C-alpha cells in the first residue's frame, strides 16, 4: 500500500501514537501497558497490529524471549509528521487550505486559536526567509 494514501482508524492511531511517542520497538504487551488506555487491551492491539503490518506502517523488528515463549516487537515505518502530512494532503484534495484553517479556528478555543496564530506567524516568517535564501 502506498503510504501517501492511507488512513488510520482511532485504534490504529492510538497504537501508532504509542510507537511514535516511545521511538523504540515495543511488544503488544508493552503497547498496552504504556498506552494507559483501558480500551487498548492486549487482544485489541493483537487485532490492530496485523492491519498496520498490511498497510506497511509498522514492521516486526525482532523476536525477544518472554518467559518460555517469544514475543515480537514492532516499530513504526512512518513518522507522525508523515502521517499528518498525508492526512492534510487527503483533506486538501477535498477542499482548500483557507476552508481547513477556518474549520480549525471554529472548533478550537480562543486560547488555542491565539497559539495557532502565533505559530502561523513564525511559520510564515521562516517560510519567507527560506524562500528568499
Amino acid at each position: 500500500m502506498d503510504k501517501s494514501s492511507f488512513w488510520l482508524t482511532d485504534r490504529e492511531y492510538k497504537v501508532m501514537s504509542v510507537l511514535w511517542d516511545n521511538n523504540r520497538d515495543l511488544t503488544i504487551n508493552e503497547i498496552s501497558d504504556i498506552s494507559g488506555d483501558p480500551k487498548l487491551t492486549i487482544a485489541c492491539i493483537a487485532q490492530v497490529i496485523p492491519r498496520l503490518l498490511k498497510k506497511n506502517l509498522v514492521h516486526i523488528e525482532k523476536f525477544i524471549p518472554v518467559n518460555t515463549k517469544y514475543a515480537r516487537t514492532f516499530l513504526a515505518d512512518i513518522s507522525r509528521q508523515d502521517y499528518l502530512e498525508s492526512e492534510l494532503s487527503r483533506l486538501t484534495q477535498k477542499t482548500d487550505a483557507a476552508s481547513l484553517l477556518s474549520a480549525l479556528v471554529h472548533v478550537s478555543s480562543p486560547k488555542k486559536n491565539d497559539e495557532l496564530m502565533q505559530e502561523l506567524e513564525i511559520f510564515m516568517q521562516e517560510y519567507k526567509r527560506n524562500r528568499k535564501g
Side-chain angles (χ1 to χ4, degrees):
M1 173 179 275
D2 178 11
K3 290 181 188 170
S4 64
S5 61
F6 68 92
W7 62 275
L8 295 174
T9 65
D10 288 342
R11 287 186 178 162
E12 290 169 344
Y13 184 82
K14 287 179 182 181
V15 169
M16 290 299 294
S17 286
V18 173
L19 291 171
W20 289 325
D21 292 345
N22 287 275
N23 203 27
R24 66 178 177 91
D25 57 317
L26 299 169
T27 65
I28 288 174
N29 287 7
E30 290 172 321
I31 294 168
S32 180
D33 291 343
I34 292 169
S35 77
D37 184 342
K39 292 182 180 179
L40 273 187
T41 63
I42 293 167
C44 171
I45 297 166
Q47 291 178 346
V48 169
I49 288 289
R51 295 194 310 256
L52 294 173
L53 286 165
K54 187 175 181 178
K55 292 179 180 183
N56 295 317
L57 300 177
V58 300
H59 69 272
I60 299 169
E61 181 68 11
K62 62 187 174 212
F63 291 85
I64 60 169
V66 176
N67 298 324
T68 60
K69 299 181 180 182
Y70 282 87
R72 298 173 297 171
T73 64
F74 302 92
L75 196 59
D77 283 338
I78 186 171
S79 69
R80 186 186 311 262
Q81 183 68 28
D82 287 342
Y83 170 72
L84 293 174
E85 288 174 8
S86 171
E87 282 292 281
L88 281 174
S89 175
R90 187 176 63 81
L91 285 171
T92 56
Q93 291 174 6
K94 296 178 181 181
T95 188
D96 59 273
S99 296
L100 284 174
L101 282 172
S102 176
L104 184 60
V105 168
H106 281 93
V107 299
S108 296
S109 68
K111 182 181 178 186
K112 288 278 187 189
N113 287 337
D114 290 343
E115 292 170 3
L116 174 63
M117 293 305 144
Q118 288 175 348
E119 289 174 22
L120 282 173
E121 286 176 12
I122 292 168
F123 173 79
M124 288 187 302
Q125 289 170 0
E126 289 176 5
Y127 177 80
K128 289 175 184 176
R129 213 176 12 255
N130 290 338
R131 195 160 175 198
K132 289 179 185 176

